Amino acid sequence: MLKRFLLIAAVLVPGGAALAQEAGPAFLHAGTDIDDVQSLQRGARDFMNYCSGCHSLQYLRYNRVAKDLQIPSAELEKNLMFTSTKPFAHIVSAMPADATAWFGNQPPDLTLMARYKGVDYIYSFLKGFYADKTRPWGVNNLYLANLAMPFVLAPLQGLQKPVYHNETDPSGHTSMQLSGVEPMTPGSMTPEQYDRFVRDIANFLDYTAEPIKAKRETIGIFVTLFLLVFFVFAYLLKKEYWKDVH
Ligand code: HEC
């Protein structure tokens, strides 16, 4: 019985993020905090400025984001609403449906990306671009080989170059394998500033993927505490009821 229980627990406990890791370089740890409202506000602003030109968040409305992230409506209309004039509109992008012709691939909607591939993936992805002259945009990505997205954050991060190491397979064949990236040319941000910048965006996309997450976690703690307290009383009651039976 216990064995079966443990087996079920082992299947259920690791979330989607852990399951999404496929072969390839390990993801970096994003270290985001869904309760950090300032980080979420910065993430929202940066997303609107740098990503919403191509990517939509079509399952969310502007006014919902403003309410959840405590953004005043004047601020919302002035600094965040680039693709619509109506606060109740969904956050669609200005990108036409045939953008595939420009990029080779359609920029996906990012509302649920953090549920699909994990927050660590988004963080790593934004730190994984490296110079590659053979690609149409002159860049490639450590975590999504031969991707169709131009590196729009290059002015901020600067460019990175790939690092290779030799790997010998069981048949004795040695080949060069991509193992990481390292700085090549600097951008306008220091590495620490850039880390914070992409952490904020990853945090914001974690929020968009589950706007109720912070609340759910708080409710979860209260429910667990309640059950613990309730257990004590239930146990005492049980002892009281059964004491004459034996
Ligand atoms: C100029 C257009 C453009 C901009 C701006 C842009 N992207 Fe993209 N993005 C794309 C395209 C095109 C793809 C599809 C790549 C592919 O499938 O090869 C993509 C894919 C992605 C993916 C999915 C990767 C995957 O595993 O499928 C993520 C995550 C992403 N972009 C995040 C961002 C973020 C965050 C920003 C803002 C900092 C941003 N993008 C800005 C065009 C853009």
Side-chain angles (χ1 to χ4, degrees):
M1 178 65 198
L2 183 69
K3 227 170 158 183
R4 190 178 299 168
F5 176 74
L6 287 177
L7 201 73
I8 295 173
V11 173
L12 291 180
V13 169
L19 295 176
Q21 171 92 63
E22 288 158 15
F27 298 157
L28 307 168
H29 180 54
T32 50
D33 176 6
I34 198 87
D35 291 320
D36 185 345
V37 177
Q38 284 184 350
S39 157
L40 293 174
Q41 288 176 345
R42 289 194 302 266
R45 178 198 62 200
D46 297 338
F47 181 90
M48 296 305 171
N49 277 295
Y50 289 93
C51 320
S52 70
C54 293
H55 293 284
S56 55
L57 296 172
Q58 62 174 335
Y59 303 110
L60 268 185
R61 296 172 194 274
Y62 285 104
N63 54 2
R64 166 82 202 246
V65 174
K67 186 164 161 263
D68 287 346
L69 306 192
Q70 300 156 28
I71 300 171
S73 44
E75 167 90 356
L76 172 79
E77 282 170 35
K78 208 167 95 215
N79 294 328
L80 298 179
M81 289 177 48
F82 300 136
T83 58
S84 172
T85 50
K86 302 183 191 72
F88 52 82
H90 290 257
I91 308 177
V92 291
S93 90
M95 192 52 63
D98 59 356
T100 312
W102 301 349
F103 297 109
N105 242 345
Q106 191 72 20
D109 181 86
L110 293 184
T111 328
L112 297 172
M113 189 52 82
R115 293 299 292 266
Y116 172 37
K117 291 196 166 178
V119 188
D120 287 351
Y121 172 77
I122 295 173
Y123 178 75
S124 309
F125 173 78
L126 294 175
K127 283 175 56 109
F129 283 85
Y130 64 87
D132 180 349
K133 289 207 172 63
T134 64
R135 301 294 308 156
W137 299 109
V139 283
N140 211 327
N141 194 295
L142 202 53
Y143 303 94
L144 188 68
N146 301 334
L147 82 172
M149 174 173 149
F151 186 30
V152 291
L153 301 178
L156 308 183
Q157 190 194 22
L159 276 178
Q160 307 186 107
K161 62 179 180 212
V163 179
Y164 295 94
H165 71 279
N166 284 328
E167 210 168 84
T168 314
D169 62 17
S171 57
H173 228 80
T174 306
S175 60
M176 289 233 294
Q177 294 290 334
L178 184 61
S179 61
V181 286
E182 61 183 33
M184 188 168 74
T185 54
S188 63
M189 287 184 169
T190 64
E192 292 75 31
Q193 286 170 331
Y194 185 74
D195 282 359
R196 191 183 87 153
F197 180 89
V198 292
R199 180 173 302 119
D200 289 342
I201 292 186
N203 202 13
F204 174 65
L205 290 178
D206 193 18
Y207 153 78
T208 65
E210 198 189 343
I212 198 89
K213 186 170 181 178
K215 216 179 203 170
R216 169 169 67 71
E217 288 178 355
T218 320
I219 294 174
I221 293 171
F222 276 112
V223 170
T224 312
L225 282 177
F226 170 76
L227 287 177
L228 282 176
V229 173
F230 180 73
F231 171 77
V232 174
F233 286 107
Y235 180 71
L236 290 176
L237 206 62
K238 183 235 164 212
K239 273 182 82 171
E240 182 65 25
Y241 280 164
W242 285 80
K243 74 170 185 260
D244 300 329
V245 176
H246 300 295

